[in-house]
């Protein structure tokens, strides 16, 4: 999960985004630690849309996300891709807006219960709707572990950034533990970053869609469940995980949760 925040209102708009807006009003709505930004675009005669911009060298996989959105939109509410492009300054992805707002909007931070239930039900619906046999993308534990080993060899894994539950491990120890994968419970098409902000919730408290699907792919459903439940602590504070699992319709599995959280720390 890339740590993200609400941006400053005076955030500089990239030239490519200004050109795409063609005079339509822009409002910054999200920024992450790698410098990627998301802008809401509105204008007379236009519905709400959003533009993600990734600076050159940031590594943010917007082109990869575009392909996954194009596939998933046939089955479940995800943003429709309007255009995508790149130049020497970076890459961008322009998508149509969906109903609802972010699950960590201020109204839900003040009253998390409806949002937590929506996150659980929305993730269950996503897992039930997306057809595993038709999905061309993988998010398997084996593939992620191979990627982690490659990045570890290049010194790109920072233990200091890990959650305190795993910070006592060295990279080598974490990789050794991650080899011992628990048996697959149920293969689904996972969201790939099922943290709370990536679920949209309507005014009635029902989920309305999912965003940020750059790592969508087939994996054990606990790869999503472990991270979705974990993110509730970061966004709403402790005490909401039980409600999330009840809304999804499953009992917590401590072994699978611990494994997939460790794998997440090694890299999504």
């Amino acid at each position: 999960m890339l740590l993200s925040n609400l941006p400053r209102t005076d955030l500089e708009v990239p030239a490519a985004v200004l050109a795409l807006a063609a005079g339509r009003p822009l409002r910054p709505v999200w920024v992450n630690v790698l410098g990627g930004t998301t802008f809401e675009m509105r204008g007379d005669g236009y519905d709400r849309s959003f533009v993600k911009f990734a600076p050159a060298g940031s590594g943010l996989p917007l082109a990869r996300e575009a392909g996954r959105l194009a596939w998933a939109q046939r089955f479940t509410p995800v943003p429709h891709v309007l255009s995508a492009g790149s130049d020497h300054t970076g890459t961008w992805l322009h998508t149509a807006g969906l109903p609802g707002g972010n699950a960590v909007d201020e109204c839900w931070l003040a009253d998390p219960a409806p949002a937590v239930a929506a996150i659980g039900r929305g993730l269950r619906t996503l897992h039930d709707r997306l057809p595993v046999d038709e999905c061309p993308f993988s998010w398997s534990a084996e593939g992620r572990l191979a990627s982690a080993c490659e990045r570890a060899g290049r010194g790109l894994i920072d233990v200091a950034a890990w959650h305190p539950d795993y910070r006592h491990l060295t990279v080598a120890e974490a990789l050794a533990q991650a080899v011992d994968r628990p048996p697959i419970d149920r293969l689904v098409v996972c969201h790939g970053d099922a943290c709370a902000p990536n679920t949209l919730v309507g005014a009635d408290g029902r989920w309305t869609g999912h965003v940020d699907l750059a790592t969508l792919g087939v994996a054990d459903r606990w790869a999503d469940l472990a991270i979705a439940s974990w993110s509730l602590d970061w966004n709403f504070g402790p005490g909401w995980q039980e409600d999330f699992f009840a809304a999804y319709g499953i009992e917590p599995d401590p072994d699978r949760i611990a494994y997939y959280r460790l794998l997440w720390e090694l890299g999504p």
Side-chain angles (χ1 to χ4, degrees):
M1 182 184 314
L2 294 173
L3 295 178
S4 305
N5 296 282
L6 295 175
R8 309 184 318 271
T9 55
D10 62 346
L11 188 71
E12 182 178 357
V13 181
V17 177
L18 286 172
L20 188 63
R24 283 170 278 175
L26 290 166
R27 181 175 69 93
V29 294
W30 208 247
V31 62
N32 66 50
V33 294
L34 296 181
T37 49
T38 301
F39 296 87
E40 182 182 19
M41 182 190 301
R42 288 184 181 269
D44 293 340
Y46 293 90
D47 293 329
R48 181 178 63 158
S49 63
F50 294 85
V51 183
K52 288 185 176 182
F53 182 82
S58 66
L60 293 169
L62 296 190
R64 185 172 69 187
E65 182 174 8
R68 283 162 168 77
L69 290 175
W71 178 82
Q73 70 182 21
R74 296 180 291 157
F75 309 105
T76 192
V78 300
H80 175 73
V81 177
L82 300 174
S83 67
S86 64
D87 62 17
H88 68 283
T89 66
T91 60
W92 57 88
L93 177 63
H94 184 199
T95 59
L98 291 173
N102 194 290
V104 296
D105 282 351
E106 288 186 9
C107 64
W108 304 123
L109 293 178
D111 180 21
V116 170
I119 293 165
R121 292 171 186 147
L123 188 60
R124 180 57 182 261
T125 304
L126 182 83
H127 289 170
D128 288 346
R129 285 184 178 176
L130 295 177
V132 171
D133 293 343
E134 297 180 34
C135 182
F137 312 110
S138 175
W139 197 47
S140 70
E142 293 82 3
R144 294 169 65 192
L145 182 56
S147 176
C149 289
E150 187 272 332
R151 287 183 296 103
R154 294 190 287 141
L156 298 180
I157 297 180
D158 180 13
V159 174
W162 289 0
H163 189 278
D165 287 354
Y166 298 98
R167 211 174 292 159
H168 64 284
L169 297 170
T170 66
V171 172
E173 289 169 340
L175 289 170
Q177 288 190 22
V179 170
D180 187 18
R181 178 183 58 78
I184 290 174
D185 170 37
R186 176 188 165 197
L187 280 180
V188 301
V189 180
C190 282
H191 180 289
D193 186 2
C195 61
N198 289 337
T199 296
L200 301 181
V201 182
D204 60 358
R206 297 177 183 271
W207 80 278
T208 59
H210 291 95
V211 298
D212 290 351
L213 288 92
T215 47
L216 174 144
V218 175
D220 189 343
R221 61 181 170 178
W222 286 96
D224 267 351
L225 287 165
I227 304 309
S229 57
W230 210 10
S231 80
L232 303 177
D233 292 353
W234 308 330
N235 289 285
F236 303 120
W240 295 103
Q241 295 194 32
E242 184 176 344
D243 290 0
F244 163 80
F245 286 115
Y248 183 93
I250 198 170
E251 291 294 322
D253 185 321
D255 290 341
R256 289 186 171 93
I257 290 171
Y259 175 82
Y260 283 104
R261 289 178 180 177
L262 172 63
L263 189 60
W264 181 266
E265 298 292 51
L266 288 168

